[in-house]
Each structure stands twice: as structure tokens, then as C-alpha cells.
Amino acid sequence: MDEKQRILQLRKELHEHNYNYYVLNQPTISDQDFDFLMHELQELEARHPEMSDPNSPTQRVGSDVNENFRQVAHKYPMLSLANTYSEQDVADFYNSVKKGLGGEDFEICCEMKYDGLSISLTYVDGRFVQGVTRGDGVHGDDVTANVKTIRSIPLVLKNGDWPREFEIRGEILMPWQVFERLNAEREAAEEPLFANPRNAASGTLKSLNPEVVAERHLDAYLYYLLGEDISGDGHYENLEKARRWGFKISEGMRKVKTLQEIYDFIKYWDTERKNLPVATDGIVLKVNSLRQQRALGYTAKSPRWAIAYKFKAERECTRLNEVTYQVGRTGQVTPVANMEPVQLAGTTVRRATLNNEDFIHSLDLHEGDYVYVEKGGEIIPKIVGVDTSRRNASALPVRFITHCPECGAQLVRYEGEAAYYCPNDAGCPPQIKGRIEHFISRRAMNIDSLGPETIDDYYQRGLIHNVADLYDIKEEQINGDGTRRKSAQKIIDGITASKHVPFERVVFALGIRFVGETSARLLARRFKNIDSLAGASLQELTDVDGIGEVIAESVITYFHNPANMDIVSRLRAYGLQMSLTEEQIKSSSTKLVGKSIVISGVFKMHSRDEYKRIIEENGGKNVGSISGKTSFILAGDNMGPAKLQKAEKLGIPVVDEKTFLGMIE
């Protein structure tokens, strides 16, 4: 591959990684790997100016803009910092500052680099007035209501010499303790785990419900003061003032003059950061004098007076005690490494997923091996290698099990899949309990009076063997000795109330493999009742826009199973919604069939969620990003300039609210 082809390949990869990180909050590579790819692209573009592209990843600051919020222009651009990973790079930065200042003496403020969500807070007359995320560096999300729930951010400042109006920037963080509790709750509900506290904090701050934000106890550290009336020239000194005004400023901050002092600071915190209550991923170095900062200026992406030193991913070696196997609600069997406890990224690690049989083979894993474990900011630990020099000569290779550890059924591996499955879905306890837990979950039947522990108790007592059994439970069976009457009645009321849950959520609650919320909604609106869905052919199913062959085959398999059909029949008899209502059928149309629509901006007549529902009710498909297949963009106020530019480039029509509503009349 020549250099020009490599440029195109790198741009494509980096655009995808940016999307995974900032939009999905699901990074697939480490920050260090991302930066290496970015540096490679920068060097190649410098050698090939004829390949210049204004939309190259090197020409932008990554964006976390969420169009559910009002967009606000930053008074001062919020740029990202250049990253470095070696002492030599730190020395290069130090020497470039010395050269840029013409040999003038300078001080460096060393600070912790907190791994959270960047925020800009504005205060007027000592009162908090606005909180805005970094966004694309030029515009950000107005998250003022959510910021007000964060108790470490002062709403009214203490008495002091603060300017009449100023801006202070920092990081919104989720403490380790809160993060671990949240992930434990999500794991119990079989919801996807947050990869790290940064993603959890980002997802929380961008919740449309401030009550959710308040419940999660976010924290904040502030690290930069901006404004036209900032009197002091020293950045460090200004932060000390801000501390007295009531802001939470890091205690891990030091002002130094020499390179050796910088190295000593890095070395100390590379170890000590493990004792901090929040996640950190490096050190920030800033020229302390604001006057000197202005003299040094900025590049297109970052200031010349500051740099971020990123810590290497934490790696420890520990002994593998045994490999155990977990069975999920779909029957998938996941191998888990159980290890001697080891400290990584602020938490004690005892277990790590081994993914599947192929992954175990790739490691050449043996019983009792000493394994290298990494976190590197990721909360889910991973084994990245084996120290074969410490292997016992008589150790045997780890062999994947052949039978289910829960029910003894012989495992199967379906064509094209890496995982093994237990096929005994009707008799394997974890699968049975897992399906019931899915059925009662908030986005399915929403029987919030029940939980995993209660389901396990009822299963062990023989009260339930499948989801239909829930509707046979009597109060006296739960109440037992008569001391739990109130809670028993709450459970019965919750089960009864679930009979009114709409048909599309009933389809999702059934737990058909591969059928998520979106596909359940598509199937419900296309077939309108359970009998039509159960009798649909492969062709009829795949004719539904958004339903592929894998989902279609899974639906057919589910409804061809007599045990499943018996459950569906019982649920119908208990009064669950097995069809769309007449009102839903009447409100649906085919006016948008075949249309892929992107929603962008802030709306006046309906909310974004209401527009998504209207599109689906009229046969259209909601899509999240613009491509050549997009039919049109439904645009409100403050549509992002990048989306508008892309739409113009691809010739995608942009439709306002009034025009759109006229289309479906």
C-alpha cells in the first residue's frame, strides 16, 4: 500500500473511531492507539500536501455534541490538548516553550489529567448561569439543568474577589465507587456495561432527565479560569483563588521550573493516582503565566503552551487459578478467568473475560499460568498475554467445556459464530431466569416491583418456570408468614399493570433471539398482531425494512417451538396486549415507506422522540447519520453545521417541521 492509499485508509479508520468514542460512547481502541494513528496521518499529510482535505480527522476537534440539547457557541474555543507518551516528548515540549519565549524564564503548572467530560461553566455576579459541554470546540450542548444537580459545583460563590463575569472549565467525573455500583446494577439487569467512568459520566450528563443525573452523584474538578477581567497573571494562583471562591480544585497540582521536577511529578502520580477516588489517565503541563500563554499562541487544534502526558495502560501479572463458565439468557457460554487479586486502575481485579474458545487458543493458555492483565481506562479487564517463562512443565492446556455447566446439555456452535451455546433453553436454569428477568425489565414489561433476587427466589421455590407463570402467582404465595403483605400486594399490582403494556414491547419482552427494541417495534407495526407475526414467512419478514435474514430466521424458530407457542397462548389468555390498538392501526400509514430520515436540531411543534414515533408510524426509518441512502433531513433550529455541509455535498434535501407535517397529512 502506498502512502496516499494509507492516508485514505487512516482517515476512514479515524472517522469511525471518533464516532465510536464521541457518539456511541463505546471506544474500540485505546487512546494511545488512536493517537498513534492520528500522528501517522499527520506525518503522511505533511509529506503529501496535494492530499489536503478540510474534512480530514486531523482538521477537527472530536465532537460530543448531542442534538437533543440546545446548541451554544463558546465565547472562547475549547480546543483539545496534544498528547504525548514519553519523557522525550515532554522534553521536546519544554524546549519548544523555551525557544518560543526567546529564552525568557517560565514556570510550568503540573496537574492531574482527569478522565471525564469537559465542561465550561459561566458565572455572573457570583451565580452559576450556564453549563456547556465541549462539543466540537466551537459549539457545545447546554446542559445547565443537569449541571445544577452536581453538588460539587457551586451555584452561588463564597465571598471573594471574583470578576463580575467569568468562565471556568473542568471535567465532569463519575467516582469509581459510584461507577462500580452502577455497572453492578446494569449487569444484574443484563444491560450493556459502561466501558469506563468517562463514558458513564458522559451518558449521565446528557440524560434528558435531571433526576437521573442527580441519582448518579457525579463529581467535578475545575482547572482553568477565563474572562476579560481576570486580574492575576498566574494560572496556578488563579486556581488557588477559585478554590477559595468554592470551586473544587485538584490537590494534585504543583508549580515547577525544571524538566527534572516535571519527571518527578509524573513518576509520583503514575503510582499514587491508583489511590484517587476518580479516574485519571495522565498529567497536564501548562505554562503558568497567562501573558506567556498568549505569546505562545495556538495551532489549529491545540495550544502551544500546554500538553498532556498520557500514562501507559496499566498492566500487572497474576496467577490464573481456574477458568469457569457462565451461561446467559440466550444460552451463550462465556469463559471467565479467575485470578489472584491484583490492583488495576483504582479497583481490585479478580476476574476477566476470555471471550471464547478461539481467544483461549490464541493465548495458548495453560492451567496455572501467570497472565498479564490490562485495564488501560477500560473497566472490563482483559488478559493480553502469558508469561510462559513461569509455566509449570506439567501444566495442561485450558480446554473449552463440551457440556453446559448448569444443566449438562451438550454445547453447540452455530455456523459463523465464535461462541458456544447451550441448546436446552427450556430446561437450563440461567436461561430460564435470564428470560424472566428480561421480560420484567424496564424497557420490556416494566414490572419494577420484581428483581433478579426475587426471580431467583420464586424459581427456587417452584413458583415460576417461565414468564407466563408470573401471572399465576397469588399474594398468599409471596406473603408467606403474613409480614410482607404490603410488598406482596405491590408485586401483584405491578404484574397486573403490565397487562396494559403496548404490543411492540410485548414482542420485545418475549426475548426472541436478536430481536431488540427497534426490530420488535418494526415487526409489531408491520404485522399488527401476534398471529400474523407467528405465521410470517421468511420472505415476508425480510421484506420489512430493517429486518435481515438472521432476525427473520430467529423469529421463525421461536414461533415454531411448541413450548414458546404455549407461553404466548397463556399470555394472551391472561390479557396481555397481543395486537396493536385500533387507534395505533388508524394512525399508521405508508406515506414514508422506503424513506430513511435523519432528525437534526431543536424543534418547536413536537419533541425529537415524538418525531421518531411519527416517522415509524408512517412507515419511515429513523437513521442516525447522513449517507447517500438518506432520503431527507428533518431539520429544526440549530442544526449542526457539519451535518448541513454534508447534506449539501451529497444533495440530501433538508425539510423543516411545517413541510414535514404537511407530507404526512
Side-chain angles (χ1 to χ4, degrees):
M1 181 184 299
D2 65 25
E3 289 190 341
K4 292 184 179 180
Q5 289 176 314
R6 179 61 176 161
I7 287 173
L8 297 176
Q9 181 188 39
L10 284 169
R11 285 173 179 169
K12 182 178 179 182
E13 286 183 28
L14 288 166
H15 279 310
E16 184 65 23
H17 289 311
N18 261 321
Y19 177 76
N20 291 338
Y21 188 91
Y22 289 104
V23 179
L24 300 182
N25 281 326
Q26 295 174 358
T28 55
I29 63 171
S30 68
D31 287 351
Q32 184 170 355
D33 289 341
F34 180 91
D35 288 333
F36 285 157
L37 293 176
M38 182 67 80
H39 290 156
E40 181 185 355
L41 179 57
Q42 288 171 329
E43 290 174 2
L44 289 174
E45 288 182 341
R47 289 204 292 269
H48 295 279
E50 73 278 8
M51 294 286 288
S52 174
D53 182 350
N55 290 324
S56 170
T58 60
Q59 302 303 306
R60 59 171 290 181
V61 174
S63 173
D64 66 357
V65 167
N66 181 332
E67 292 177 346
N68 284 320
F69 292 94
R70 184 172 71 92
Q71 304 299 292
V72 176
H74 290 296
K75 187 173 182 179
Y76 310 97
M78 290 186 75
L79 302 180
S80 59
L81 296 179
N83 290 329
T84 182
Y85 297 90
S86 70
E87 288 190 355
Q88 182 56 53
D89 288 339
V90 171
D92 290 343
F93 163 72
Y94 185 88
N95 291 326
S96 70
V97 168
K98 182 185 292 186
K99 182 179 179 181
L101 294 175
E104 180 183 353
D105 287 344
F106 62 93
E107 295 175 312
I108 295 290
C109 184
C110 304
E111 307 169 16
M112 300 305 301
K113 185 178 184 299
Y114 292 103
D115 193 17
L117 181 72
S118 297
I119 195 74
S120 169
L121 309 175
T122 300
Y123 286 77
V124 177
D125 293 328
R127 294 178 176 273
F128 172 64
V129 296
Q130 189 174 64
V132 182
T133 65
R134 187 183 72 165
D136 60 7
V138 179
H139 298 83
D141 297 330
D142 185 344
V143 290
T144 303
N146 287 348
V147 168
K148 286 181 177 179
T149 70
I150 302 172
R151 296 182 179 273
S152 55
I153 293 177
L155 300 182
V156 179
L157 300 183
K158 296 181 178 180
N159 291 332
D161 55 346
W162 28 261
R164 180 186 173 277
E165 181 175 347
F166 68 93
E167 186 178 333
I168 190 165
R169 292 178 175 175
E171 286 308 280
I172 301 293
L173 302 151
M174 178 173 285
W176 283 114
Q177 189 175 10
V178 177
F179 173 73
E180 289 171 353
R181 189 194 72 223
L182 178 61
N183 257 358
E185 291 171 356
R186 294 174 72 87
E187 184 175 24
E190 288 204 351
E191 295 179 348
L193 302 186
F194 284 116
N196 52 48
R198 185 261 170 207
N199 290 0
S202 176
T204 299
L205 191 66
K206 293 182 180 181
S207 168
L208 297 179
N209 185 354
E211 290 184 8
V212 172
V213 186
E215 288 171 359
R216 293 189 178 175
H217 304 290
L218 295 179
D219 203 350
Y221 283 86
L222 289 307
Y223 52 61
Y224 199 67
L225 203 60
L226 285 155
E228 296 176 5
D229 299 320
I230 305 297
S231 57
D233 180 59
H235 165 70
Y236 177 92
E237 290 75 14
N238 285 336
L239 288 184
E240 287 300 320
K241 284 184 183 179
R243 191 195 305 277
R244 294 193 293 273
W245 300 340
F247 291 107
K248 191 169 187 176
I249 308 296
S250 170
E251 298 289 345
M253 187 171 63
R254 185 181 172 196
K255 194 168 58 170
V256 304
K257 291 186 176 181
T258 68
L259 258 178
Q260 188 56 51
E261 287 177 307
I262 294 175
Y263 295 154
D264 291 344
F265 186 89
I266 290 173
K267 183 178 180 181
Y268 175 81
W269 281 109
D270 196 8
T271 302
E272 188 60 25
R273 68 192 178 98
K274 299 174 186 178
N275 298 319
L276 293 173
V278 293
T280 59
D281 60 355
I283 297 293
V284 176
L285 307 174
K286 298 173 185 171
V287 172
N288 192 56
S289 166
L290 303 188
R291 175 185 59 80
Q292 290 178 334
Q293 289 182 10
R294 290 190 293 270
L296 290 166
Y298 299 80
T299 68
K301 285 189 63 179
S302 57
R304 292 189 176 92
W305 45 266
I307 197 169
Y309 172 87
K310 302 292 282 289
F311 293 125
K312 292 180 176 62
E314 286 192 60
R315 174 184 289 195
E316 296 289 348
C317 190
T318 188
R319 187 179 187 275
L320 172 70
N321 290 330
E322 66 172 336
V323 176
T324 55
Y325 297 85
Q326 294 180 335
V327 183
R329 72 174 176 86
T330 63
Q332 181 174 331
V333 178
T334 302
V336 177
N338 295 266
M339 307 167 294
E340 289 294 321
V342 63
Q343 281 290 119
L344 274 178
T347 57
T348 301
V349 174
R350 294 181 174 84
R351 307 170 76 216
T353 178
L354 288 168
N355 299 329
N356 52 53
E357 183 183 38
D358 295 342
F359 183 76
I360 292 173
H361 287 331
S362 71
L363 290 171
D364 186 29
L365 196 61
H366 282 56
E367 296 172 358
D369 269 347
Y370 280 84
V371 295
Y372 293 106
V373 189
E374 274 190 10
K375 247 185 181 180
E378 299 295 321
I379 186 55
I380 303 172
K382 54 187 177 183
I383 292 176
V384 295
V386 177
D387 185 353
T388 55
S389 67
R390 301 173 70 178
R391 178 178 289 165
N392 190 312
S394 61
L396 298 174
V398 173
R399 301 295 184 194
F400 205 93
I401 57 174
T402 58
H403 291 74
C404 176
E406 298 288 344
C407 70
Q410 186 166 346
L411 303 181
V412 297
R413 186 173 180 176
Y414 300 110
E415 185 178 351
E417 294 210 27
Y420 278 90
Y421 289 84
C422 169
N424 181 24
D425 57 349
C428 185
Q431 294 188 65
I432 294 170
K433 289 185 286 185
R435 283 196 301 274
I436 298 172
E437 289 168 16
H438 168 76
F439 185 84
I440 67 172
S441 65
R442 178 172 52 84
R443 294 196 295 267
M445 303 306 290
N446 193 28
I447 308 176
D448 60 3
S449 50
L450 292 173
E453 292 182 1
T454 312
I455 294 300
D456 182 61
D457 176 49
Y458 292 178
Y459 179 81
Q460 298 299 336
R461 290 164 56 192
L463 295 180
I464 52 175
H465 299 90
N466 57 52
V467 298
D469 290 341
L470 289 169
Y471 297 88
D472 279 333
I473 292 177
K474 304 293 188 295
E475 182 186 328
E476 55 268 23
Q477 293 175 302
I478 306 171
N479 197 5
D481 59 5
T483 61
R484 293 178 290 178
R485 183 178 178 184
K486 190 173 181 180
S487 61
Q489 188 58 52
K490 184 179 179 182
I491 290 170
I492 297 299
D493 289 346
I495 293 171
T496 301
S498 72
K499 297 177 183 181
H500 302 290
V501 165
F503 174 52
E504 59 191 36
R505 281 170 53 193
V506 174
V507 175
F508 174 58
L510 291 176
I512 304 171
R513 194 175 175 205
F514 303 126
V515 175
E517 287 180 84
T518 300
S519 48
R521 188 162 53 247
L522 294 172
L523 292 168
R525 294 193 180 280
R526 165 62 179 83
F527 294 100
K528 296 182 174 53
N529 61 67
I530 199 72
D531 294 326
S532 296
L533 177 59
S537 66
L538 182 67
Q539 185 63 53
E540 287 173 325
L541 289 163
T542 54
D543 280 346
V544 179
D545 192 18
I547 302 298
E549 194 166 311
V550 172
I551 295 177
E553 288 178 346
S554 180
V555 171
I556 291 172
T557 299
Y558 179 89
F559 286 111
H560 275 66
N561 184 323
N564 292 335
M565 288 304 294
D566 178 62
I567 289 172
V568 170
S569 178
R570 288 177 62 196
L571 292 176
R572 189 205 305 264
Y574 292 130
L576 274 69
Q577 303 299 307
M578 290 297 171
S579 66
L580 296 179
T581 64
E582 289 298 322
E583 183 180 342
Q584 287 175 313
I585 294 172
K586 287 178 181 177
S587 65
S588 64
S589 77
T590 58
K591 292 179 180 178
L592 297 177
V593 167
K595 303 287 186 185
S596 294
I597 303 162
V598 171
I599 300 176
S600 181
V602 180
F603 299 92
K604 297 174 182 175
M605 301 180 189
H606 296 279
S607 69
R608 291 171 66 89
D609 286 342
E610 286 170 343
Y611 275 124
K612 287 182 179 180
R613 177 181 55 77
I614 290 169
I615 288 169
E616 290 172 354
E617 287 177 351
N618 286 273
K621 180 180 180 182
N622 289 293
V623 291
S625 58
I626 300 170
S627 70
K629 296 180 180 179
T630 303
S631 304
F632 63 85
I633 299 171
L634 170 55
D637 296 334
N638 296 322
M639 177 179 170
K643 280 192 174 180
L644 185 60
Q645 184 180 9
K646 188 170 184 179
E648 290 172 350
K649 184 177 179 181
L650 295 174
I652 307 295
V654 177
V655 173
D656 62 23
E657 283 186 272
K658 188 175 181 180
T659 304
F660 172 76
L661 293 172
M663 292 169 63
I664 58 174
E665 285 182 355

